[in-house]
């Protein structure tokens, strides 16, 4: 079997988890199955680098000494704000030699600075999506997904999304069972699909300023199977339906209907992930009424049916040894 070299670019101000998360995934895959990955780290001059959290990472070699890798992984961190021009030059001259180019979090800014994202779909940490789009208008920025695949290019959102992306790459290389074995070993409960939003329903929305609307938001979260029509929610907030709908949209940043849709989808996902309840039971508990209604919602937002969503995260493969 082909051994795929993963070359991780290091620089001062790199985010430690952007490095260690994907590295642990690829290392775990090599332990659990065939030795399919060789992981090496490199910096411009081969000297140790200081991470944003103060840890010191010692690279294996200099970037100049690195041959063409199978997967080039560019992490993020505060060091991407004012990158060393030599690093950008190296990426511009050498990244195309990698069969697969991957960024984690703000590492997408380094790829964009080197012109590697022009005309491509990409994402990054939600706080930096506007910056990426403004500085590099040729990049097709997708702010919601936790990772985006575009041919030989893969970009991910912040920190833990790099683990999700690495697991997806392992699945592509070595199969679903092995990827899920690694996920279990790392106590990553699930490998999330890439088009899953970076936010939960509550984080994606604003918190209402007025107490009655905040209470309604909380009640929706706790009671997804209840009658969540505008009329019912307006009555709970002691407002007229028209006034409630307008105030909710103004303060929360989305319509009541859209907020309810997000909460119900999130609740259904959690049930599928955390329980063995049947699809019909989950659909009732989460307010969909019928499995077909839930299936349509999953396909529209996640691109997978509830059954497929659950199946992706099941494996019969034994767990990795812990020693």
């Amino acid at each position: 079997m082909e051994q795929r070299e993963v070359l991780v670019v290091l620089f001062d101000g790199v985010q430690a988890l952007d490095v260690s998360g994907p590295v642990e995934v690829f290392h775990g895959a090599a332990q659990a199955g065939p030795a399919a990955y060789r992981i090496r780290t490199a910096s411009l001059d081969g000297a140790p680098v200081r991470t944003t959290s103060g840890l010191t990472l010692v690279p294996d070699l200099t970037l100049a000494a690195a041959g063409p890798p199978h997967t080039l992984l560019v992490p993020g961190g505060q060091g991407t704000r004012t990158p060393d021009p030599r690093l950008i030059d190296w990426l511009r001259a050498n990244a195309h030699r990698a069969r697969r180019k991957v960024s984690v979090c703000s590492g997408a800014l380094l790829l964009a600075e080197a012109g590697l994202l022009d005309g491509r779909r990409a994402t990054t940490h939600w706080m930096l999506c506007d910056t990426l789009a403004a500085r590099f208008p040729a990049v097709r920025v997708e702010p919601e997904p936790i990772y985006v695949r575009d041919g030989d290019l893969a970009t991910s959102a912040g920190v833990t999304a790099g683990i999700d992306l690495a697991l997806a790459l392992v699945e592509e290389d070595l199969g679903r069972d092995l990827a899920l074995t690694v996920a279990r070993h790392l106590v990553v409960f699930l490998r999330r699909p890439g088009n899953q939003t970076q936010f939960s329903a509550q984080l994606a929305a604003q918190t209402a300023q007025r107490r009655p609307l905040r209470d309604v938001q909380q009640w929706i979260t706790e009671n997804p199977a209840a009658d969540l029509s505008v009329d019912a929610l307006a009555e709970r907030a002691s407002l007229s339906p028209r006034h409630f709908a307008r105030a909710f949209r103004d303060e929360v940043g989305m319509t009541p209907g859209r907020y309810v849709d997000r909460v119900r989808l999130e609740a259904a996902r959690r049930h599928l992930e955390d329980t063995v309840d049947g699809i019909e039971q989950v659909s009732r508990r989460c307010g969909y009424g019928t499995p077909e209604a839930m299936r349509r919602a999953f396909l529209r937002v996640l691109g997978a049916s509830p059954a497929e969503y659950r199946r992706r995260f099941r494996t019969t493969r034994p767990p990795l040894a812990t020693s």
Side-chain angles (χ1 to χ4, degrees):
M1 177 177 288
E2 174 191 8
Q3 187 178 58
R4 301 165 176 85
E5 179 170 307
V6 178
L7 180 66
V8 183
V9 176
L10 299 183
F11 50 87
D12 282 323
V14 71
Q15 164 69 255
L17 280 175
D18 287 4
V19 175
S20 62
V23 164
E24 289 292 345
V25 170
F26 290 119
H27 175 70
Q31 279 193 315
Y37 297 105
R38 178 191 184 201
I39 304 162
R40 298 205 294 174
T41 57
S43 65
L44 279 169
D45 54 11
V49 302
R50 190 83 163 171
T51 70
T52 55
S53 58
L55 297 175
T56 297
L57 301 180
V58 181
D60 298 312
L61 70 166
T62 66
L63 285 172
H70 176 277
T71 299
L72 177 67
L73 194 148
V74 181
Q78 293 178 3
T80 63
R81 296 178 181 176
T82 55
D84 189 319
R86 296 177 299 156
L87 176 57
I88 303 304
D89 289 342
W90 185 90
L91 288 171
R92 188 178 293 116
N94 294 278
H96 70 279
R97 301 162 66 198
R99 288 168 56 182
R100 192 162 61 192
K101 293 166 283 293
V102 177
S103 70
V104 181
C105 196
S106 59
L109 294 173
L110 299 181
L111 294 182
E113 189 74 38
L116 300 169
L117 300 187
D118 288 354
R120 310 293 292 274
R121 296 167 48 242
T123 193
T124 186
H125 191 286
W126 64 271
M127 291 182 67
L128 296 171
C129 283
D130 287 346
T131 299
L132 181 61
R135 287 180 55 189
F136 307 101
V139 181
R140 295 158 56 192
V141 179
E142 298 189 7
E144 292 217 355
I146 58 173
Y147 61 81
V148 170
R149 301 291 305 279
D150 187 347
D152 64 349
L153 177 71
T155 54
S156 67
V159 188
T160 59
I163 296 176
D164 295 298
L165 176 53
L167 286 167
L169 297 176
V170 168
E171 179 177 336
E172 177 183 294
D173 294 340
L174 303 174
R176 177 180 293 119
D177 281 356
L178 184 57
L180 294 178
T181 298
V182 175
R184 284 184 169 183
H185 179 65
L186 296 177
V187 201
V188 179
F189 190 77
L190 286 177
R191 181 186 62 76
R192 298 176 290 174
N195 55 357
Q196 181 175 319
T197 180
Q198 295 190 34
F199 300 109
S200 68
Q202 288 72 37
L203 289 178
Q206 303 169 36
T207 300
Q209 297 177 4
R210 282 179 278 182
R211 178 66 180 271
L213 296 181
R214 291 201 304 272
D215 290 345
V216 165
Q217 283 183 281
Q218 183 64 31
W219 195 82
I220 291 171
T221 302
E222 296 171 353
N223 300 275
D227 177 3
L228 301 181
S229 64
V230 169
D231 287 348
L233 296 175
E235 182 178 355
R236 180 165 291 276
S238 300
L239 298 170
S240 71
R242 184 175 180 180
H243 185 191
F244 169 79
R246 183 174 62 251
F248 192 97
R249 183 179 62 251
D250 290 346
E251 295 194 21
V252 179
M254 63 180 68
T255 66
R258 188 180 180 199
Y259 187 80
V260 167
D261 287 345
R262 290 193 174 198
V263 168
R264 282 177 168 160
L265 185 70
E266 185 176 337
R269 281 183 30 247
R270 286 200 308 269
H271 274 78
L272 292 173
E273 295 165 3
D274 297 346
T275 75
V276 295
D277 294 344
I279 300 297
E280 184 173 355
Q281 187 177 6
V282 172
S283 67
R284 289 198 308 269
R285 285 185 174 179
C286 298
Y288 287 105
T290 67
E292 177 59 24
M294 187 169 75
R295 189 183 74 86
R296 289 196 300 268
F298 268 65
L299 288 173
R300 183 176 64 253
V301 179
L302 298 177
S305 70
E308 171 63 16
Y309 183 87
R310 172 174 274 174
R311 187 177 69 82
R312 289 179 181 180
F313 311 122
R314 297 290 183 125
T315 181
T316 58
R317 193 180 185 95
L320 285 167
T322 56
S323 61

